[in-house]
Amino acid sequence: MYDEQQRAQNGPLAGFTVGVTAARRADELGALLQRRGASVVHAPALRIVPLADDSELLTATKELIDHAPDVVVATTAIGFRGWVEAADGWGLGEELLARLRGVELLARGPKVKGAIRAQGLTEEWSPSSESMAEVLDRLLDEGVDGRRIAIQLHGEPLPGFVESLRAAGAEVVGVPVYRWMPPEDIGPVDRLLDAAITRGLDALTFTSAPAAASLLSRAENRGLLPELLAALHHDVLPACVGPVTALPLQARGIDTVQPERFRLGPLVQLLCQELPGRARALPIAGHRVEIRGHAVMVDGTLRPVPPAGMSLLRSLSRRPGWVVARAELLRALPGAGRDEHAVETAMARLRTALGTPKLIQTVVKRGYRLALDPAADSKYADV
């Protein structure tokens, strides 16, 4: 356990705070982030309606059993497994599998393919890219005029997919395998929003489009959408597991980062590259100082710093080597009021946390400055 903690403290995400909006597999994502040193704030932005309780799925399942489709497109492994399990619970499992054996069954990717074969079925085709766009191209190339196509929906928007099939003459039947609803307890989501807006997060992760849409909707309901969008534009890195997940954010003009492979592991690896690259590294008083979200790396050693201290350090680092007046530093302190003594108190705690007091110099009657190494002065003179 101690070795694991040591590795986390020296991990690429040490000193950064990452928000997790996932409802499903949140524990797995959180553990991956924490093993690499991140502090994790989790707030499921939605909840999933249990399959067996969903009347829409029951209706769609009966309709497909009674009126066979020509093609069934399976989009997620968990959704396909859940569909069959729910049908079993309704006493329709064997009838559903029998119906699926007689149709053209397409699997979006290898995980879905495995779920299909686990039920004793065989897919006719699966794209190498795991892309719904490639599935659409195949269907349109085959010709869909007059064909009945069932699509296992999974809570994600499928922009243009259904419309393109219908425009080409297909009858499209949606199979809503599970539905997204707002979380029963909205408190954690509100705290996550507040953390993002106050820059208490360095990154915000999304593993489904509904989670992104839900968070944006909650921010709008609270009158905080402009503040959230500003944070995501400039200071809080929005990281999505794939392009479909990113759509609600892109619709609001937010650029996101996405891994090449749409999986949790690559998403975490992407953060391990992106966040350290965004941290400010400075040569100060003979030391290498890297300013991260809630901590500072001094010569490779993580130094946790109180929030007030981080506010002061960020103010000083905007113009490294230049004197910053106490009045300006006071404005940077959260809730400090008008007493400049608060700056002195916070500065003393900051120096203690850094473990190297000479990193910050006091300039009598003027303020404070980072003791930037002389060789670096010209480089940062116009920062």
Side-chain angles (χ1 to χ4, degrees), residues 20 23-32 34 42:
V20 172
R24 188 170 61 86
R25 299 180 70 191
D27 290 344
E28 180 183 349
L29 177 55
L32 288 171
Q34 288 170 338
H42 175 227

mmCIF file of all heavy atoms in Angstrom, residues 20 23-32 34 42:
data_model
loop_
_atom_site.group_PDB
_atom_site.id
_atom_site.type_symbol
_atom_site.label_atom_id
_atom_site.label_comp_id
_atom_site.label_asym_id
_atom_site.label_seq_id
_atom_site.Cartn_x
_atom_site.Cartn_y
_atom_site.Cartn_z
ATOM 1 N N VAL A 20 -15.107 13.589 -12.521
ATOM 2 C CA VAL A 20 -15.645 12.421 -13.221
ATOM 3 C C VAL A 20 -17.165 12.518 -13.222
ATOM 4 O O VAL A 20 -17.785 12.580 -12.159
ATOM 5 C CB VAL A 20 -15.190 11.106 -12.537
ATOM 6 C CG1 VAL A 20 -15.900 9.896 -13.137
ATOM 7 C CG2 VAL A 20 -13.675 10.941 -12.659
ATOM 8 N N ALA A 23 -21.700 7.742 -14.721
ATOM 9 C CA ALA A 23 -22.552 6.973 -13.824
ATOM 10 C C ALA A 23 -22.097 5.511 -13.822
ATOM 11 O O ALA A 23 -22.048 4.867 -12.780
ATOM 12 C CB ALA A 23 -24.012 7.065 -14.277
ATOM 13 N N ARG A 24 -21.740 5.024 -14.997
ATOM 14 C CA ARG A 24 -21.299 3.630 -15.145
ATOM 15 C C ARG A 24 -19.779 3.584 -15.248
ATOM 16 O O ARG A 24 -19.171 4.422 -15.896
ATOM 17 C CB ARG A 24 -21.954 3.053 -16.422
ATOM 18 C CG ARG A 24 -21.754 1.572 -16.626
ATOM 19 C CD ARG A 24 -22.634 1.078 -17.767
ATOM 20 N NE ARG A 24 -22.329 1.721 -19.028
ATOM 21 C CZ ARG A 24 -21.385 1.316 -19.888
ATOM 22 N NH1 ARG A 24 -20.633 0.272 -19.586
ATOM 23 N NH2 ARG A 24 -21.190 1.944 -21.021
ATOM 24 N N ARG A 25 -19.167 2.635 -14.565
ATOM 25 C CA ARG A 25 -17.717 2.422 -14.565
ATOM 26 C C ARG A 25 -16.954 3.614 -13.971
ATOM 27 O O ARG A 25 -15.787 3.821 -14.263
ATOM 28 C CB ARG A 25 -17.215 2.116 -15.986
ATOM 29 C CG ARG A 25 -17.829 0.869 -16.574
ATOM 30 C CD ARG A 25 -17.315 0.588 -17.960
ATOM 31 N NE ARG A 25 -15.920 0.178 -17.946
ATOM 32 C CZ ARG A 25 -15.165 0.074 -19.038
ATOM 33 N NH1 ARG A 25 -15.674 0.380 -20.219
ATOM 34 N NH2 ARG A 25 -13.906 -0.297 -18.958
ATOM 35 N N ALA A 26 -17.643 4.389 -13.138
ATOM 36 C CA ALA A 26 -16.983 5.535 -12.502
ATOM 37 C C ALA A 26 -15.878 5.088 -11.560
ATOM 38 O O ALA A 26 -14.822 5.728 -11.477
ATOM 39 C CB ALA A 26 -18.016 6.378 -11.753
ATOM 40 N N ASP A 27 -16.111 3.984 -10.841
ATOM 41 C CA ASP A 27 -15.091 3.485 -9.907
ATOM 42 C C ASP A 27 -13.825 3.091 -10.655
ATOM 43 O O ASP A 27 -12.710 3.359 -10.195
ATOM 44 C CB ASP A 27 -15.624 2.288 -9.113
ATOM 45 C CG ASP A 27 -16.698 2.692 -8.120
ATOM 46 O OD1 ASP A 27 -16.810 3.908 -7.834
ATOM 47 O OD2 ASP A 27 -17.422 1.809 -7.629
ATOM 48 N N GLU A 28 -14.002 2.455 -11.806
ATOM 49 C CA GLU A 28 -12.846 2.035 -12.606
ATOM 50 C C GLU A 28 -12.058 3.244 -13.096
ATOM 51 O O GLU A 28 -10.830 3.293 -12.990
ATOM 52 C CB GLU A 28 -13.328 1.201 -13.791
ATOM 53 C CG GLU A 28 -12.207 0.713 -14.689
ATOM 54 C CD GLU A 28 -12.724 -0.059 -15.898
ATOM 55 O OE1 GLU A 28 -13.929 -0.398 -15.924
ATOM 56 O OE2 GLU A 28 -11.924 -0.298 -16.820
ATOM 57 N N LEU A 29 -12.770 4.246 -13.604
ATOM 58 C CA LEU A 29 -12.105 5.458 -14.094
ATOM 59 C C LEU A 29 -11.422 6.192 -12.948
ATOM 60 O O LEU A 29 -10.265 6.627 -13.069
ATOM 61 C CB LEU A 29 -13.118 6.369 -14.778
ATOM 62 C CG LEU A 29 -12.596 7.717 -15.295
ATOM 63 C CD1 LEU A 29 -11.411 7.526 -16.228
ATOM 64 C CD2 LEU A 29 -13.707 8.486 -15.993
ATOM 65 N N GLY A 30 -12.118 6.320 -11.814
ATOM 66 C CA GLY A 30 -11.530 6.994 -10.653
ATOM 67 C C GLY A 30 -10.269 6.308 -10.171
ATOM 68 O O GLY A 30 -9.276 6.968 -9.838
ATOM 69 N N ALA A 31 -10.283 4.968 -10.146
ATOM 70 C CA ALA A 31 -9.106 4.218 -9.688
ATOM 71 C C ALA A 31 -7.922 4.419 -10.638
ATOM 72 O O ALA A 31 -6.779 4.567 -10.194
ATOM 73 C CB ALA A 31 -9.449 2.736 -9.570
ATOM 74 N N LEU A 32 -8.192 4.428 -11.943
ATOM 75 C CA LEU A 32 -7.117 4.651 -12.915
ATOM 76 C C LEU A 32 -6.484 6.027 -12.716
ATOM 77 O O LEU A 32 -5.254 6.184 -12.795
ATOM 78 C CB LEU A 32 -7.671 4.538 -14.337
ATOM 79 C CG LEU A 32 -8.038 3.135 -14.841
ATOM 80 C CD1 LEU A 32 -8.784 3.228 -16.169
ATOM 81 C CD2 LEU A 32 -6.791 2.274 -14.992
ATOM 82 N N GLN A 34 -6.543 7.896 -9.886
ATOM 83 C CA GLN A 34 -5.868 7.984 -8.584
ATOM 84 C C GLN A 34 -4.541 7.247 -8.582
ATOM 85 O O GLN A 34 -3.583 7.695 -7.941
ATOM 86 C CB GLN A 34 -6.792 7.435 -7.493
ATOM 87 C CG GLN A 34 -7.952 8.375 -7.194
ATOM 88 C CD GLN A 34 -9.014 7.750 -6.299
ATOM 89 O OE1 GLN A 34 -9.134 6.536 -6.214
ATOM 90 N NE2 GLN A 34 -9.791 8.592 -5.639
ATOM 91 N N HIS A 42 -16.027 13.005 -7.913
ATOM 92 C CA HIS A 42 -16.998 12.241 -8.701
ATOM 93 C C HIS A 42 -18.412 12.741 -8.434
ATOM 94 O O HIS A 42 -18.815 12.898 -7.285
ATOM 95 C CB HIS A 42 -16.923 10.750 -8.373
ATOM 96 C CG HIS A 42 -17.978 9.938 -9.077
ATOM 97 N ND1 HIS A 42 -18.742 8.991 -8.435
ATOM 98 C CD2 HIS A 42 -18.413 9.960 -10.370
ATOM 99 C CE1 HIS A 42 -19.588 8.457 -9.303
ATOM 100 N NE2 HIS A 42 -19.402 9.033 -10.479
#
